[in-house]
């Protein structure tokens, strides 16, 4: 009696296994057959058809799920990084020489290149994009945005230093002040955008990783059931 009770409990628990691994589409279910079943399926991007637990497994694509699944792209990230690249190069600010602008320009090019390759089918690039954008977001929000706002000045002064014999002469410079205020707002907004991008790309990476794990588990369980 105990053996029969354990077998029935085990079979019931196996029939009720449900994995929610997609997070965007519907739940994926593992439907396990009894010994009299002629066909069974594992609904995770493919079907496994078998006859009386035959050891030969035929993998076929799940057309219904492939039509509803959409690959995630990061096209807006390319646009934002290109905008930052152009603005940082052309922004009028004589105090910041072009040599100091090259590192950020190259960094924006790297973000754009990684964003072109980051998709659900390439989870490793999503991980790289998440790491790049989270670091950029934190620097833009907490360093560049308050820094440019603090040193925004509508005057350009010459002379008057400790080692200068010339008197300090200041003239109004609206281009310099407006440019630094614009850079402060730009750094804040793009930092927030990159922060959201890092969260989204990390979520895509985690979903793709969990989906692969679920497929491996489903294949392993199918092979175990087929060998019985």
């Amino acid at each position: 009696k105990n053996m029969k009770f354990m077998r029935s409990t085990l079979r019931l628990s196996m029939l009720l296994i449900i994995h929610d691994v997609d997070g965007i589409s519907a739940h994926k279910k593992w439907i396990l057959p009894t010994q009299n079943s002629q066909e069974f399926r594992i609904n995770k991007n493919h079907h496994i058809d078998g006859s009386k637990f035959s050891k030969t497994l035929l993998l076929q694509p799940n057309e219904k799920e492939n039509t509803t699944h959409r690959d995630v792209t990061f096209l807006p990230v390319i646009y934002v990084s290109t905008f930052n690249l152009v603005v940082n190069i052309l922004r009028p600010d004589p105090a910041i020489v072009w040599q100091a602008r090259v590192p950020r320009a190259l960094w924006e090019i790297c973000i754009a290149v990684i964003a072109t390759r980051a998709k659900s089918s390439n989870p490793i690039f999503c991980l790289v994009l998440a790491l790049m954008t989270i670091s950029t977001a934190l620097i833009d929000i907490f360093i560049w945005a308050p820094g440019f706002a603090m040193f925004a000045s509508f005057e350009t002064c010459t002379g008057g230093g400790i080692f200068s014999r010339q008197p300090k002469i200041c003239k109004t410079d609206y281009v310099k002040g407006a440019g630094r205020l614009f850079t402060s707002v730009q750094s804040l907004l793009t930092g927030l955008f990159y922060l959201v991008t890092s969260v989204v790309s990390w979520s895509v990476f985690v979903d793709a990783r969990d989906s692969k794990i679920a497929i491996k588990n489903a294949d392993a369980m199918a092979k175990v059931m087929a060998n019985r």
Side-chain angles (χ1 to χ4, degrees):
K1 293 182 178 180
N2 292 331
M3 292 298 295
K4 292 181 178 180
F5 176 76
M6 291 177 64
R7 289 179 180 177
S8 61
T9 304
L10 179 60
R11 179 169 296 179
L12 179 61
S13 61
M14 292 174 68
L15 291 174
L16 294 179
I17 295 176
I18 298 175
H19 280 263
D20 183 8
V21 296
D22 201 342
I24 300 175
S25 59
H27 293 283
K28 275 64 180 177
K29 299 182 180 179
W30 293 352
I31 304 177
L32 304 179
T34 60
Q35 294 182 354
N36 296 326
S37 299
Q38 297 296 327
E39 180 180 357
F40 62 95
R41 296 178 179 178
I42 297 181
N43 292 327
K44 183 55 191 163
N45 294 330
H46 64 272
H47 289 262
I48 300 179
D49 297 332
S51 177
K52 295 183 180 180
F53 297 104
S54 174
K55 294 183 179 181
T56 303
L57 300 180
L58 178 62
L59 302 183
Q60 298 176 350
N62 190 338
E63 298 178 356
K64 184 177 181 180
E65 289 190 1
N66 289 336
T67 56
T68 58
H69 179 71
R70 295 182 179 179
D71 202 1
V72 178
T73 59
F74 295 91
L75 190 60
V77 181
I78 303 175
Y79 295 150
V80 173
S81 60
T82 305
F83 173 77
N84 280 341
L85 174 64
V86 174
V87 171
N88 289 331
I89 292 177
L90 301 179
R91 178 169 49 86
D93 192 345
I96 302 177
V97 296
W98 68 270
Q99 292 87 348
R101 306 185 187 193
V102 171
R104 181 56 187 263
L106 296 177
W107 184 252
E108 295 291 348
I109 294 175
C110 292
I111 292 178
V113 172
I114 295 299
T116 58
R117 301 295 302 274
K119 298 179 181 179
S120 301
S121 56
N122 294 327
I124 187 63
F125 287 99
C126 295
L127 176 61
V128 176
L129 183 63
L131 296 177
M132 294 179 67
T133 51
I134 187 62
S135 59
T136 306
L138 294 178
I139 293 175
D140 285 349
I141 294 174
F142 295 105
I143 295 180
W144 295 127
F148 277 101
M150 184 181 300
F151 292 100
S153 175
F154 290 89
E155 289 183 347
T156 299
C157 299
T158 58
I162 299 177
F163 302 100
S164 178
R165 297 180 180 179
Q166 301 295 328
K168 184 177 181 180
I169 301 175
C170 296
K171 63 178 181 179
T172 303
D173 189 353
Y174 293 104
V175 175
K176 176 182 176 181
R180 294 199 174 185
L181 290 178
F182 175 79
T183 305
S184 177
V185 176
Q186 175 197 357
S187 300
L188 179 61
L189 295 180
T190 55
L192 294 175
F193 176 81
Y194 281 149
L195 184 63
V196 175
T197 301
S198 65
V199 175
V200 173
S201 56
W202 174 258
S203 300
V204 173
F205 167 74
V206 172
D207 289 340
R209 181 195 61 186
D210 293 344
S211 298
K212 290 183 178 180
I213 294 175
I215 292 174
K216 291 181 180 179
N217 293 337
D219 292 338
M221 182 170 291
K223 292 178 181 180
V224 172
M225 297 301 297
N227 292 328
R228 292 184 58 184

